[in-house]
Amino acid sequence: MSIEIKGVNKNFGDFVALQDVDLTIPTGQLTALLGPSGGGKSTLLRIIAGLETADTGSVLIEGDEATHLPPQKRNVGFVFQHYAAFKHMTVAKNVAFGLEIRKRPKAEVKRRVQELLELVHLTQFSHRLPAQLSGGQRQRMALARALAVEPTVLLLDEPFGALDAKVRKELRDWLRRLHDEVHVTTVFVTHDQEEALEVADEIVVINDGRIEQIGSPDELYDAPANDFVMGFLGPVTTLQGELIRPHDIDVSTEEGVLGAVRGEVVRLLRVGFEVRLTVQPADTHDEVSVVLTRSHARALGVDVGSTVWLAPNRGANRVPAMSRAAAAG
Amino acid sequence: MAETRAGRVREPVPVRWGLRLLGIGYVFLLVLWPVSLVAKYTFEDGFTALQETFADSDVTHALQLTLVVAISAVVINLLFGVGISLLLVRYEFPGKRVLSALIDVPLSVSPVVVGLALVLAYNPRTGLFGPGLASAGFDVIFATPGMILATVFVALPLVIREVVPVLNEIGDEQEQASRSLGANAVQTFRRITLPSIKWAVVYGVVLSLARSLGEFGAVKVVSGNVVGQTQTATLVVESKYQGFDQATAYSTAFLLALASVLCIVVVSLLRPKETS
């Protein structure tokens, strides 16, 4: 097991950032720490890196006690949201930094920097300064710099958070492919559930300083432990007292299925291929959101004012809406 | 900077010219004209005044002493200034705001008060350290160490006030990245922090040097103003002027002004190359 975290607590003044966190991160995998801002995921990552110290608890990296080691002795690669590029050094010098600190022979440093710049497709930019690169290029440089020292674990703190949507998507695919090539144990923090679902082998959902659930993307999506996880991994709506995904609701224009909820379409919004309906059920006040494909909506002929019957899709996963409140109470 | 220039509000032409004239006139009447008069009087008889000045051994001694005191003070303020800046920006500790406020005291307190305070604290008879140091044969007051002390005091905030904003602006992520790549604190400071704050440090040093060369009040009190021994260049200017040796007073004043102007010219010549 690559990283073992036991009983970690961390407070910033009155604010509880992490509360009794136990977590084991397996070797060679890409693990996502997913959760809302301020939930403690970045703090956990920084504790693994040694950039923050836990109030209590321990951190083991590859079986070695690392709780009290300074960051430079942990052999971790860290990639920051805002790149943390060394502004006064060229791209090649940035990548070479860790190797030069380790006093590797010049020829080896040169060869290794060359390899890494090829890996991140920045060879022709090696003599530029970071200010002359785009955000995506800077982040690729930061990744090469972190990988140069052959870290035991690679830690990425919201690595694509400062990039625009298109570059973010490209880099995400690229990170996945890179990981399949390099196989270094990688932990990345994100608040974007799509990013986590797409890239990670395993997702750790963190909220309010606690771990809500650990599992593969499919496990989390198909069997969320509670309404928080369900809500965080994608859009949800409430139907008959249960949380359900809006696209898991069957809509029909006549009463067919037993127990279907009758309601009136009060809003209709088309976004590309999607049609989002807001339905006001006849028997409750809570509106239900439903998502249909454009063609399906057209075939049904629904519009604002139509009467529809809603029922959970077969195979839809549902979570009782009050599970969290009940557990807390 | 290009963005702010492009986005700047354009004033009507008369207003713009009016403001420019006002600004230039203000600086001319306060700075340029009076200082140029010093130069004018220095060179009234060609280089004779300067030659006579350099022939006066009391004046050359004073100039040397000024250099020794100013350079020592700048070195001390450089080391402590960078250290205290790092402390103020990178660390949290109780009393941080008090420390930050105390650093500005030298700017607000009159140098004469500084001089008197140092005499009280370090004099060989009643001061806390004075008697001990005096019995060890180390004079502070009425000697070079006291003058360095006074100069360090008055120039204390200059390096810090240049470096602190830059440290704040660059943040600590680059330093954290350096640590995670295996660099220890010293390596991180030398390779990452120092290159980033280099120009702020240079600017602070130049300002400190200019301030230290020109210090008068505090040094006058702690030095005792002994001709040929503890008299610095600024004290020479005063005593020569009062002794009706105007020519020497003007030339010494001119040399002081020249040194300060040179400092600032050198920095402004170096600086644009770095930022481009």
Side-chain angles (χ1 to χ4, degrees):
Chain A
M1 287 297 168
S2 189
I3 305 171
E4 281 186 70
I5 293 151
K6 280 185 203 139
V8 163
N9 282 281
K10 176 76 182 176
N11 297 327
F12 294 105
D14 293 338
F15 177 72
V16 181
L18 292 172
Q19 206 178 332
D20 287 324
V21 170
D22 293 295
L23 177 63
T24 303
I25 293 169
T27 303
Q29 286 204 346
L30 220 169
T31 304
L33 303 182
L34 175 68
S37 308
K41 55 196 192 309
S42 280
T43 307
L44 183 59
L45 197 76
R46 292 173 64 84
I47 286 174
I48 298 172
L51 298 172
E52 212 85 70
T53 46
D55 297 341
T56 58
S58 66
V59 178
L60 269 77
I61 299 177
E62 290 290 348
D64 296 330
E65 172 59 44
T67 316
H68 302 291
L69 279 185
Q72 69 265 29
K73 296 203 172 135
R74 296 193 181 201
N75 201 35
V76 297
F78 201 96
V79 173
F80 297 80
Q81 181 177 3
H82 298 286
Y83 330 121
F86 301 145
K87 291 189 177 116
H88 57 288
M89 296 183 190
T90 62
V91 170
K93 275 282 175 195
N94 262 277
V95 176
F97 186 85
L99 298 168
E100 285 179 351
I101 290 288
R102 284 167 175 72
K103 302 215 164 52
R104 296 279 169 79
K106 274 213 173 97
E108 188 199 322
V109 172
K110 207 176 160 195
R111 183 179 53 75
R112 187 97 181 97
V113 168
Q114 198 60 41
E115 278 173 18
L116 282 156
L117 288 179
E118 264 166 45
L119 185 72
V120 300
H121 311 299
L122 286 176
T123 311
Q124 69 272 40
F125 299 109
S126 64
H127 296 294
R128 293 220 189 154
L129 288 172
Q132 297 165 303
L133 301 182
S134 71
Q137 289 168 335
R138 273 183 234 180
Q139 199 55 299
R140 295 210 305 265
M141 179 195 83
L143 254 161
R145 184 176 70 181
L147 287 172
V149 300
E150 291 173 357
T152 325
V153 287
L154 180 62
L155 306 172
L156 305 107
D157 190 2
E158 302 253 6
F160 313 130
L163 303 167
D164 64 60
K166 190 166 165 288
V167 180
R168 192 153 65 210
K169 188 122 181 55
E170 280 169 21
L171 272 188
R172 206 192 274 173
D173 296 345
W174 178 81
L175 175 69
R176 183 64 242 186
R177 285 202 307 273
L178 181 83
H179 184 263
D180 293 340
E181 260 176 72
V182 204
H183 287 303
V184 57
T185 307
T186 305
V187 185
F188 78 103
V189 159
T190 181
H191 61 259
D192 180 345
Q193 86 286 352
E194 198 186 316
E195 193 166 289
L197 290 171
E198 198 177 310
V199 178
D201 298 313
E202 190 175 71
I203 299 176
V204 180
V205 181
I206 298 180
N207 180 41
D208 273 342
R210 279 187 303 259
I211 294 178
E212 298 278 357
Q213 193 176 3
I214 304 172
S216 70
D218 288 352
E219 282 165 13
L220 256 62
Y221 201 86
D222 294 341
N226 55 39
D227 61 343
F228 175 80
V229 176
M230 174 130 183
F232 201 76
L233 284 183
V236 285
T237 190
T238 313
L239 181 68
Q240 293 171 316
E242 286 179 320
L243 288 182
I244 185 168
R245 307 239 177 256
H247 56 79
D248 279 345
I249 296 176
D250 276 339
V251 179
S252 60
T253 45
E254 49 210 60
E255 188 167 14
V257 189
L258 193 69
V261 174
R262 192 171 70 90
E264 186 192 341
V265 177
V266 290
R267 268 192 304 280
L268 186 149
L269 177 69
R270 189 188 159 191
V271 183
F273 67 89
E274 267 184 16
V275 174
R276 299 176 191 167
L277 304 179
T278 307
V279 177
Q280 177 65 65
D283 54 354
T284 61
H285 289 297
D286 300 329
E287 292 178 336
V288 182
S289 309
V290 184
V291 172
L292 301 173
T293 62
R294 172 74 178 146
S295 49
H296 190 189
R298 201 184 286 170
L300 284 171
V302 290
D303 206 339
V304 174
S306 309
T307 301
V308 290
W309 278 265
L310 306 176
N313 209 323
R314 279 212 287 166
N317 49 61
R318 288 170 283 167
V319 166
M322 300 309 286
S323 67
R324 199 177 162 72
Chain B
M1 241 183 266
E3 289 147 38
T4 53
R5 200 175 301 150
R8 197 170 64 179
V9 178
R10 302 295 293 182
E11 305 287 353
V13 174
V15 176
R16 234 184 305 153
W17 279 99
L19 283 172
R20 275 181 209 180
L21 274 177
L22 189 70
I24 292 167
Y26 181 74
V27 174
F28 176 80
L29 287 175
L30 263 172
V31 181
L32 197 60
W33 181 49
V35 175
S36 69
L37 283 181
V38 172
K40 188 185 154 208
Y41 281 105
T42 305
F43 294 104
E44 227 171 10
D45 308 314
F47 284 91
T48 44
L50 270 182
Q51 274 162 358
E52 279 169 25
T53 305
F54 280 117
D56 186 335
S57 67
D58 288 344
V59 178
T60 50
H61 180 269
L63 288 172
Q64 279 171 12
L65 183 62
T66 302
L67 272 184
V68 169
V69 169
I71 290 172
S72 314
V74 165
V75 170
I76 294 171
N77 270 333
L78 169 65
L79 298 178
F80 279 90
V82 173
I84 290 175
S85 304
L86 284 170
L87 193 67
L88 283 176
V89 177
R90 293 285 184 262
Y91 298 91
E92 288 300 324
F93 54 92
K96 181 166 148 170
R97 292 179 63 174
V98 176
L99 179 64
S100 182
L102 275 178
I103 285 162
D104 284 334
V105 165
L107 280 183
S108 50
V109 171
S110 162
V112 178
V113 177
V114 173
L116 274 177
L118 288 175
V119 169
L120 284 175
Y122 292 96
N123 78 71
R125 275 170 292 118
T126 58
L128 183 59
F129 304 113
L133 288 169
S135 62
F138 190 82
D139 292 325
V140 177
I141 300 305
F142 307 132
T144 313
M147 296 155 73
I148 294 173
L149 211 58
T151 311
V152 167
F153 192 124
V154 296
L156 177 77
L158 298 173
V159 170
I160 299 172
R161 291 297 166 226
E162 287 291 322
V163 173
V164 162
V166 177
L167 275 177
N168 272 322
E169 191 194 313
I170 60 169
D172 59 355
E173 277 204 342
Q174 290 186 53
E175 289 162 16
Q176 291 178 1
S178 160
R179 298 300 290 271
S180 77
L181 288 166
N184 61 32
V186 175
Q187 287 168 322
T188 299
F189 176 75
R190 223 166 44 79
R191 288 169 179 250
I192 305 300
T193 316
L194 198 55
S196 313
I197 61 170
K198 184 169 63 182
W199 285 102
V201 171
V202 169
Y203 226 72
V205 162
V206 168
L207 286 177
S208 302
L209 186 62
R211 180 77 182 82
S212 302
L213 289 171
E215 177 45 30
F216 175 77
V219 168
K220 189 174 182 184
V221 177
V222 293
S223 70
N225 199 7
V226 183
V227 176
Q229 285 179 35
T230 63
Q231 200 173 43
T232 59
T234 47
L235 302 180
V236 163
V237 174
E238 192 212 21
S239 74
K240 293 287 182 191
Y241 189 80
Q242 286 173 346
F244 301 104
D245 185 359
Q246 259 102 343
T248 312
Y250 288 136
S251 356
T252 313
F254 170 74
L255 290 172
L256 282 170
L258 185 69
S260 303
V261 170
L262 274 181
C263 286
I264 287 167
V265 168
V266 165
V267 166
S268 53
L269 283 180
L270 288 174
R271 202 161 178 147
K273 277 186 208 152
E274 176 69 17
T275 48
S276 67

